[in-house]
Amino acid sequence: MSESSTANAILAEVERLSAQLSQSASAYLQERVLDIRDVAGQLLAAAYPDVPVARFELTEPSIVIAEDLTPSQFLSLDRSLTKGLILTHAGKTSHTVILARAFGIPTLSGISVSDCEAALATKVYLHAELGIVAVNANTGVEIYFDRAMQLADNRINQQKRFAGKQGMTRDGKRIEVAANIACAVEAEGAFSQGAEGVGLFRTEMLFMDRASAPTEEEQFRAYSDVLKAAEGKPIIIRTMDIGGDKPIDYLNLPAEQNPFLGYRAVRIYPQFLNLFRTQLRAILRAACCGHARVMVPMIQSIEEIRWVKEQMRIVANELSTDGVDHVAHIELGIMVEIPAVAFMIDQFSKEVDFFSIGSNDMTQYLLAVDRDNDQVSGLYNSMAPSFLRMLRQVVDTAHANGRWVGLCGELGADARLLPLLVGAGLDEVSMSAPNIPATKALLAELDSQACRTLFEAACDCATIADVKAVLDNREQGEEGKSLLDTECVFKRANYRTKEEAIQALVGNLALTGRTDAEFLLEEDIWAREAVFSTGLGFGFAIPHTKSENIRHSSISIAQLESRLTGSLNPAMWISSSCLP
Ligand code: PEP
Ligand code: MG
């Protein structure tokens, strides 16, 4: 085959597959076109090493605007200069979006490139949390975003000081803060953000978006890369959680009416025995490179875990017979994500070394609420007293039986609920890496005994609203902060407008650990201002609000350098959940 026909053959195949996928009714499959293009680009680069490949070279801090960006194009960008991504086609399952999130790069999707023409080669502000792109900003908008960036930088720098520290409450109770990762390349970023281990390595990502399963060698490399990057820190490798919302075409799993209650995770292993044993071989071999643990998803019965253990014995024997280096005994754990398991922890403790609560699935199964169904999303709430009682049951029973318990669902990164997770007595929480420094910083403010009291009170509640009310009284769980403190007093502040003053003072409440939700708090203050605007023209003004987005009732005071346009000097602002 001539060189040009090799290239043509690759391109023709890309077009054929892309056309097929684009016509699919499934948004997920449509998004895979990008992955096909990515692989084709890599194939062409390997087939024509002498042909220069067009690369995106960033020379200054930039926001990258693209129709789409493949994971490898994203990884080839200088991440220190990539300040944000604006993509047209990336959906929530896009691997590029997952990677960008893991590296803490603000990303917006669903905006067409043609709508961004005005943004080319000019100053652009991107606020992913608020979903805003500002082009041709006027002075007021520039001032807002410049201050927002300054506040965000201050916050990141402040939290970075905790990245290198151990997760610990202020009274010295250790809680390991680990990272959730989906591919080897995320590990490096996770450890630089302070991950004390990997609490969940979602290996199914290795099996997705391809025509056949990864080989043993390929998996071995992926697992050992992470274990080497970890330098001895523990890595929990979860065996493939395929099925449910994670389909794999080449396995030809039947379509199901109720995929979340159907044929997924450990339930498919007996049918795909070779696939499972290949994964176990790769894990046991890679375990020689560091501290590996294995975790099995969707375990529901003792029989299932005994079957898995039998497979591990068979695979270890095979490796010994073949004379292949491997670790024969590896710590084994299960995901606690099916409610039935919560009542059998004593029995499971005889079979496994540890547990990790999958709060995403546990919430959906315990409350019978589909985690992906907008119609019932209002009912999906891990603050439900029933969920908290389940947590207490699992942790207390595991501890009584000498086993440790982690939590690796989204709940782990929810700052508002952290005192409850500490109070429950969890030994580890695992989350997406950018949340790690903030979680460690917050942990350092909490008192474990007070958190336990708070947790017991929350478990005794009748309703979610009652749990929220218990949480509002947060001073039970952390170092109390006084209503008025010098950390909230500013002399000769340079705010020119009421908007600037509110933004700066609320931003400071976030920096001083008085709120975890500064934008919601700012909205609450403006909502109050809309109903009852603070009068201007007096010596001082008191915009105030009652808000669930404040952790400690607070008064902030700013003495201004010069009068606000048409108004006040000095300014005083109160924000509070409840004034004492
Ligand atoms: C969970 O269910 O909480 C979990 C961590 O697993 P996944 O989100 O991959 O189902
Ligand atoms: Mg799960």
Side-chain angles (χ1 to χ4, degrees):
M1 191 183 264
S2 77
E3 290 221 327
S4 67
S5 68
T6 307
N8 286 338
I10 294 173
L11 293 174
E13 190 56 14
V14 168
E15 286 318 311
R16 193 185 67 78
L17 287 170
S18 304
Q20 251 180 21
L21 291 169
S22 308
Q23 281 163 14
S24 160
S26 143
Y28 179 84
L29 288 178
Q30 288 170 16
E31 282 167 23
R32 301 288 72 82
V33 169
L34 192 56
D35 297 324
I36 300 276
R37 295 216 180 112
D38 191 20
V39 172
Q42 293 177 45
L43 267 178
L44 287 169
Y48 303 99
D50 301 332
V51 178
V53 180
R55 292 211 164 274
F56 306 103
E57 292 282 346
L58 300 181
T59 52
E60 56 183 325
S62 306
I63 289 175
V64 176
I65 302 172
E67 290 262 336
D68 43 33
L69 203 60
T70 65
S72 56
Q73 284 170 334
F74 168 75
L75 290 171
S76 71
L77 293 171
D78 180 339
R79 285 196 287 282
S80 67
L81 295 176
T82 311
K83 298 296 171 196
L85 296 181
I86 300 178
L87 303 172
T88 310
H89 293 307
K92 64 178 193 264
T93 66
S94 148
H95 287 162
T96 304
V97 172
I98 292 173
L99 285 174
R101 193 187 308 140
F103 289 108
I105 294 177
T107 302
L108 276 188
S109 66
I111 301 175
S112 76
V113 169
S114 55
D115 285 346
C116 294
E117 262 163 29
L120 293 179
T122 68
K123 191 168 178 181
V124 177
Y125 291 98
L126 165 65
H127 201 306
E129 208 176 328
L130 298 180
I132 293 174
V133 183
V135 185
N136 291 329
N138 65 24
T139 316
V141 173
E142 284 200 349
I143 289 172
Y144 180 87
F145 281 112
D146 287 341
R147 191 180 296 280
M149 281 191 293
Q150 186 61 51
L151 286 166
D153 282 349
N154 291 350
R155 189 110 188 253
I156 288 167
N157 288 334
Q158 186 193 48
Q159 290 170 346
K160 260 191 197 153
R161 285 189 276 125
F162 287 88
K165 298 195 172 155
Q166 288 188 327
M168 195 178 287
T169 60
R170 77 168 196 271
D171 57 325
K173 177 161 190 313
R174 270 286 277 138
I175 296 184
E176 198 174 296
V177 183
N180 292 350
I181 63 169
C183 60
V185 74
E186 277 184 72
E188 171 206 336
F191 295 123
S192 70
Q193 299 196 65
E196 298 181 71
V198 166
L200 174 63
F201 183 175
R202 288 183 161 104
T203 61
E204 54 276 7
M205 290 289 179
L206 295 171
F207 293 74
M208 293 167 83
D209 313 329
R210 48 191 298 154
S212 58
T215 61
E216 181 182 324
E217 270 325 293
E218 197 179 335
Q219 291 187 61
F220 168 73
R221 270 197 308 277
Y223 307 147
S224 31
D225 282 352
V226 175
L227 286 160
K228 284 178 197 155
E231 295 175 337
K233 294 188 244 344
I235 304 294
I236 299 182
I237 303 176
R238 181 176 75 178
T239 53
M240 54 197 180
D241 187 9
I242 289 168
D245 60 337
K246 299 163 187 159
I248 304 262
D249 284 352
Y250 53 84
L251 296 186
N252 294 317
L253 295 171
E256 294 175 288
Q257 278 213 320
N258 252 326
F260 274 120
L261 294 181
Y263 200 43
R264 63 175 289 205
V266 67
R267 300 170 181 187
I268 72 163
Y269 297 171
Q271 182 185 346
F272 300 96
L273 195 55
N274 281 340
L275 202 64
F276 182 51
R277 287 193 182 160
T278 304
Q279 179 167 44
L280 290 180
R281 277 178 70 98
I283 295 174
L284 293 185
R285 287 175 54 204
C288 298
C289 302
H291 185 173
R293 294 171 173 150
V294 177
M295 179 159 74
V296 190
M298 288 289 291
I299 286 283
Q300 177 241 38
S301 68
I302 294 284
E303 289 89 331
E304 282 170 339
I305 194 63
R306 286 189 182 150
W307 179 86
V308 167
K309 286 165 76 177
E310 178 59 16
Q311 299 311 311
M312 290 181 81
R313 272 191 292 274
I314 292 171
V315 167
N317 284 342
E318 259 173 32
L319 288 166
S320 301
T321 314
D322 297 347
V324 179
D325 279 348
H326 69 284
V327 168
H329 298 288
I330 195 163
E331 287 162 80
L332 176 68
I334 59 168
M335 300 274 302
V336 181
E337 50 189 349
I338 296 184
V341 172
F343 301 100
M344 296 291 283
I345 293 292
D346 53 340
Q347 295 294 342
F348 277 105
S349 296
K350 297 176 195 158
E351 305 288 341
V352 300
D353 302 295
F354 66 91
F355 300 96
S356 185
I357 296 170
S359 56
N360 305 339
D361 275 320
M362 178 56 98
T363 307
Q364 83 163 342
Y365 295 134
L366 189 70
L367 304 180
V369 182
D370 183 341
R371 70 196 246 188
D372 288 336
N373 183 341
D374 288 344
Q375 296 274 78
V376 287
S377 58
L379 297 173
Y380 185 97
N381 194 331
S382 314
M383 238 189 257
S386 51
F387 184 91
L388 301 176
R389 289 179 182 200
M390 175 283 305
L391 202 58
R392 179 168 64 183
Q393 160 75 15
V394 171
V395 178
D396 289 356
T397 315
H399 286 173
N401 287 278
R403 297 290 177 256
W404 65 266
V405 188
L407 183 144
C408 62
E410 297 304 309
L411 190 63
D414 188 332
R416 189 165 156 74
L417 294 195
L418 191 64
L420 295 181
L421 303 186
V422 171
L426 285 167
D427 302 283
E428 177 235 49
V429 277
S430 192
M431 60 200 64
S432 98
N435 293 309
I436 288 175
T439 302
K440 287 185 176 176
L442 183 51
L443 267 180
E445 289 177 19
L446 299 176
D447 176 83
S448 65
Q449 285 309 319
C451 285
R452 183 74 200 182
T453 310
L454 191 78
F455 179 66
E456 289 297 345
C459 284
D460 285 345
C461 286
T463 65
I464 291 173
D466 294 344
V467 174
K468 281 187 181 156
V470 165
L471 278 172
D472 282 343
N473 189 8
R474 296 281 296 274
E475 282 160 29
Q476 286 181 45
E478 59 192 276
E479 195 167 16
K481 280 188 183 282
S482 50
L483 184 65
L484 179 57
D485 192 291
T486 49
E487 68 183 14
C488 294
V489 175
F490 295 87
K491 284 177 127 185
R492 305 195 62 73
N494 63 351
Y495 319 139
R496 282 149 292 184
T497 60
K498 184 163 152 182
E499 285 78 6
E500 271 192 80
I502 289 183
Q503 180 194 19
L505 294 180
V506 171
N508 181 61
L509 291 176
L511 273 174
T512 49
R514 288 167 180 260
T515 177
D516 306 311
E518 61 183 291
F519 301 118
L520 294 178
L521 179 58
E522 206 174 334
E523 262 179 39
D524 289 343
I525 291 181
W526 282 110
R528 164 80 194 181
E529 283 291 293
V531 179
F532 190 79
S533 179
T534 306
L536 303 180
F538 302 100
F540 63 88
I542 313 179
H544 63 283
T545 189
K546 219 173 156 180
S547 165
E548 62 175 21
N549 295 305
I550 190 85
R551 282 189 5 225
H552 306 271
S553 297
S554 306
I555 296 178
S556 300
I557 298 178
Q559 181 199 37
L560 302 181
E561 207 163 44
S562 55
R563 277 172 183 273
L564 288 180
T565 346
S567 69
L568 325 162
N569 186 17
M572 173 193 274
W573 319 96
I574 300 177
S575 57
S576 135
S577 53
C578 47
L579 280 175

